[in-house]
Every structure is written in structure tokens, then in C-alpha cells.
Amino acid sequence: MESRPVSQAVEDYVKAICLLEQQEGKATTKALAVALDVAAPSVTAMIKRLHAMRLVRHTRYRGVALTPSGRRMALEVIRHHRLLELYLVEALGLPWDQVHEEAERLEHVISEELEERIAERLGHPVADPHGDPIPTKGGEVDQSAYLPLSELNPGTAAVIKRVADQAPAKLRYLGDLGLFPEVRVTLLEKAPFGGPMSLEVGETRCTLGGDLARQIYVLPVESL
Amino acid sequence: MESRPVSQAVEDYVKAICLLEQQEGKATTKALAVALDVAAPSVTAMIKRLHAMRLVRHTRYRGVALTPSGRRMALEVIRHHRLLELYLVEALGLPWDQVHEEAERLEHVISEELEERIAERLGHPVADPHGDPIPTKGGEVDQSAYLPLSELNPGTAAVIKRVADQAPAKLRYLGDLGLFPEVRVTLLEKAPFGGPMSLEVGETRCTLGGDLARQIYVLPVESL
DNA sequence: GTTTATATTTAGATTAATCTAAAAAGAAAT
DNA sequence: ATTTCTTTTTAGATTAATCTAAATATAAAC
Ligand SMILES: [Mn+2]
Ligand SMILES: [Mn+2]
Ligand SMILES: [Mn+2]
Ligand SMILES: [Mn+2]
């Protein structure tokens, strides 16, 4: 019954499976290979190990699904990751485009004790700097669904709730424009067919491409 | 010429070698095996790898010595470790007996950027919570030598400068007595042959065994 | 419904890091 | 100077995690 500590690789796999299940509805070998930047046969090999550890169920050629204990592990890692991202921004002033990479490594090595201190210091926050929900210790995740900024009607005001793009360069760009979660914006004009839109952010205005706008999720102010 | 990131194991080995060179004057296979809690043949195998990486020089049956680049790497890891220990105590309130274990893992995963932010937040400190010197970015280490508390003359006052024992239980005990670095104590009485001693700490007094007293280093106040 | 493209798995190899058992070297004791 | 003890090294095996090349299964296109 000796269960030795789980490796970083295993944690990254269950985390990736969990995120894929949420975002795509299922986790395939290919999607995991892309997400983790490894070759497909490496994924197949790891899936066998994860199955032996009872962390996933696997149907050949059909992808994997987390077991309850796999999900518990994944949410624990995701909680670490998002708490760390927020801590690095709030307590140490790291820019929001650098914290993902840092948290990617730190998430595997902090103790439960340290996790708790960080959560306490932050006032038990519910979202990370990008607006992604922080799972509770009990494994609950806020499921609120928001509207892509690209779907907002011109003339409407809304509060940014989530920035789904991870790419540092894009985050830096959005940061320069002042587009963070909890910031209020007003959509002025929108070109058709997913074209660019012009926004009012505080005192200033800016133009945003359709691709970026599709990655920004908002809550229209009427809904408040 | 692609030099892939160094593993945690390699970092722990060069760190252990560096500390042994300082404390014992040399780093033998056996001493490393004990320090790292691995079997002796594992050390021999790793020494070969470290040699291939030009981090150590090795004379068969005689132990290893760090090369300049090995020492640079070791001091970098030690800097991380000690900065982290201090940060965990100062910024997050972890008890000083728990931070060693935590830093042992974190030291390998923080970026140079994060290291710098932490150092800045702490005001570029020169010692960790146990009084161990924090190497500078340039690789300089404070070499001050202090007096073991066990060698202090009765009736003399001194400031604690370093607590060399790592054992959490002992650190907790010393902490309860208020015996931390930078605390001023007065030696009242001392039993002969390394026996116990009685101390004045602030308003209170306490008795300390000879073994513990030998691990506490002080600076007598006359020297100030 | 075949053919073609894509995804998945198997086969086989590699590397880092560890282990135990046994041989060899060096140090200490007689 | 031998003998004995300790340390170090070799030999050989194991496990996790990865890779490339090739085989096989599924899905898409025609
Ligand atoms: Mn990770
Ligand atoms: Mn995030
Ligand atoms: Mn370590
Ligand atoms: Mn320390």
C-alpha cells in the first residue's frame, strides 16, 4: 500500500486531461500530445501508467477520461497553479504574462501548508489573474459561463471576466490597453464577419481584432 | 552546443558537494551518500555524469571537488534556497523549522526573474532565518566565523548569529525559548565538560544542553 | 463502398537516476 | 607485513519518461 509521491509528469498529464475534458469535452491522444508538446507514442505510454494508477479510464483509440481520484488530483494541481499565478502578480508584482510559465513549475512542489498560507494571504480568492476559476480545496469549480466580447452588441457596456488566451505577447498587448478581468468596457462599433471592434476602456478607446475579442469573455452590465 | 536544463538531482549533488567542501574540507562518496540519502554506487554513477558535464573533478577513491562552473551552479542553488527560506518566514509566516524542506524543492524551479523579485522584496538580505549567509548573485559568500555558544565565558553577553542544527524538532524547541539569530543572550553559568548552561534571554532564563549549545554560534558583545 | 488521410498504438531504443551484490582499493589494526 | 575493516567502484538490473519508425485502426473524401 506504499504510494510514492506522484511525478511532475503525471501531474501535468492529469491536469491537461482535466482541462481538455472541460474545454473540448474529451481528451484524445493527439490533443494531449499537442498540449504537452510530446510525441503521440509518449502519450500512449503514459496513459498506460495513468491507468495502472487508477487515475484514468481508457478506451483504445477513443481517448481517456479521469476517474474520481484522477479528477481530484487534477483539480489540486490546477488550484496550486492558479493560486500561484495570482500570488505572483499580487504579492511579487510579476507581470501577468509571465506567471503562467512560473506557476507551471511551482505547482508541483508547494506543500499543502504553503498552499494554505498563500490562499489565506490572498483572502481565499475565486479567480486567477486571467479570470480562470480557482478550484476550492473540496474540488468545486465555479462554472459561470460568460459571453465572448466578440458577441457583445454595439453600444453595450460589460465587465471583462476572463482572458482565455495564454500567449505572453497577446497578454502583454491586452495589458497595455488596460484590458484585465474586472475592467469595465463599452463596445462602440463592430465590423461584420468577426472583424475588428472599437472599444471604450476608462477614458481611452482602442481597436481590437476579432481573434483577440473571441478570447475575451465578458459579463454585460444589464446582467448585474 | 545545446545545453539542456540541469536536473534537480544534479543541482542537489553540486549543492551537497559545495556544502561538504565548506564544512568538512572535502566531499567523499560516502559523505555524499549520507547527505543525499542514496546508496554509494548511485553517487559514483552521478559523479561520472557531473564530470562529463565539467562540474566536478574526480580522483578515483579520493572524492570530488567542484570546478569553477560547478561552484557557480552550487552557489546559485544555495542562494535560491536561503532566499526562499527567508521569504517563507518573512512574507508568509511559515515557522522556521518547516522552511528548509519547502525550500529544498522550490530552489530548483524558481526563475532568475522571481529570485530577483524575492531578493528585492526582502531588501537584498545577507542571511537566512538560521543565520546562514546568502551568496550574492556574483557568487560571494560572507565568511564570518562566530564562536560556539558552548565556548562563551560565563557572565558574558553575546548576540546569536547562526543556528547550525537543521532538525525541525530542535529548531522548534529553540524557537520556543526565543533563541533566534540577532537575539541577545547572557551566559550565566556553565557546567564543566560540555555540560548544560543557563542563559538569560530577554526577561527570562533557560537551561540548554551542551550538544545544542555547540550548534549555536554567537558574537560576544565586546566584539561590537 | 473504396480509397486516402489522420490518429493511435506497437516495437524497439535511449537517457537519467536509482538499486543490490560483489569485487577491488585504501586505511586501520594487530 | 599481514590481516581486517571500510570505502569505493564495477557489474548488472530496474523504473520513469521520452523518442523514431512502422503497423494498425478510425474517420474523411471521393
Ligand atoms: Mn506543470
Ligand atoms: Mn491563468
Ligand atoms: Mn533540493
Ligand atoms: Mn537555512
Side-chain angles (χ1 to χ4, degrees), chain B residues 7 9-10 13 38-39 41-42 45-46 49 61-62:
Chain B
S7 72
V10 166
Y13 271 89
V38 294
S42 307
M46 179 58 97
R49 269 172 255 136
Y61 292 95
R62 281 291 137 73

Side-chain angles (χ1 to χ4, degrees), chain A residues 129-152:
Chain A
H130 314 98
D132 296 302
I134 298 176
T136 66
K137 279 228 88 152
E140 287 125 62
V141 188
D142 176 37
Q143 301 288 357
S144 310
Y146 300 105
L147 189 74
L149 176 55
S150 51
E151 305 293 311
L152 196 64

Side-chain angles (χ1 to χ4, degrees), chain B residues 203-224:
Chain B
E203 300 294 290
T204 64
R205 11 185 92 190
C206 64
T207 310
L208 210 61
D211 290 342
L212 266 178
R214 227 162 291 124
Q215 299 279 76
I216 298 173
Y217 292 85
V218 301
L219 181 66
V221 287
E222 295 84 56
S223 323
L224 289 176

Side-chain angles (χ1 to χ4, degrees), chain B residues 8-9 11-13 15 36 77 81 100-108:
Chain B
Q8 214 218 75
E11 290 189 349
D12 278 333
Y13 271 89
K15 185 178 66 157
L36 295 165
V77 179
H81 185 101
H100 179 80
E101 194 192 340
E102 197 85 39
E104 198 57 50
R105 298 184 306 271
L106 287 164
E107 64 190 1
H108 309 289

